[in-house]
Amino acid sequence: MLKRRIKALIAVVLLVLLVYGVDWDQAHATLEHVWIPALAVTLVAMIWELALSAWKWLWTLRMHGLEYRFGYLFQVLTKAYFINNFLPTAVGGDAYRAFRTMPGDGFKSRAVSAVLLDRVSGLVALLLWGAVAACWLWSESPVARWYLSLCLAGGGAGLALLVIVHKGWLKALSNRVRHLAVFSAIEHNINYLKKARTEWVYVIALSLTFQATSIGIVYRL
């Protein structure tokens, strides 16, 4: 009971701080120009976006041998988003997500790795959509040509790194740091990712859908 009261008190204090920071005159002036049906559709899309994010996180956890219910992950994710409103970056929310999915046995870093994979896959998906837009605007925008060239260079470097790791050309370097505990954790997590097959398809598809939804929401707003 005391724990729930403390949680409720913290939530109330954070909400008061959030409300206090709003410029209500500006908010009222802005809302006068908002078309309510469009706003309702956008809010539904934002809830759908949260569901996609929780679903993608579910699959990144499964890739690390961790099983959680979708409802639980959705709840944790919304709390993490709430935490992010009061911190300068999303690190606080990500730390909360990792903490709430940390396994009781085995390498606890699997929860951290799952969140990192969730973030990285989202970033890659966003860059891919940017590359699609750059191809569309290639002939009329020098920025698009610069962006696409940068993406191709980064993608080539990434593929080269994957080949180097797969061929084992970094074994000499890895043997020097193999005694470190952090290396064992990283190697353990990478082995989980190597065993994943169809999970990669789900994560990539959900990442692309999530970013497309986000782009649509920003456009509508």
Side-chain angles (χ1 to χ4, degrees), residues 111-128:
V112 178
S113 181
V115 172
L116 288 175
L117 178 59
D118 179 33
R119 285 292 185 181
V120 171
S121 62
L123 175 60
V124 171
L126 183 60
L127 292 174
L128 286 174

Side-chain angles (χ1 to χ4, degrees), residues 12-22 86:
V12 170
V13 171
L14 292 176
L15 283 172
V16 169
L17 291 173
L18 186 62
V19 171
Y20 180 76
V22 174
F86 302 94

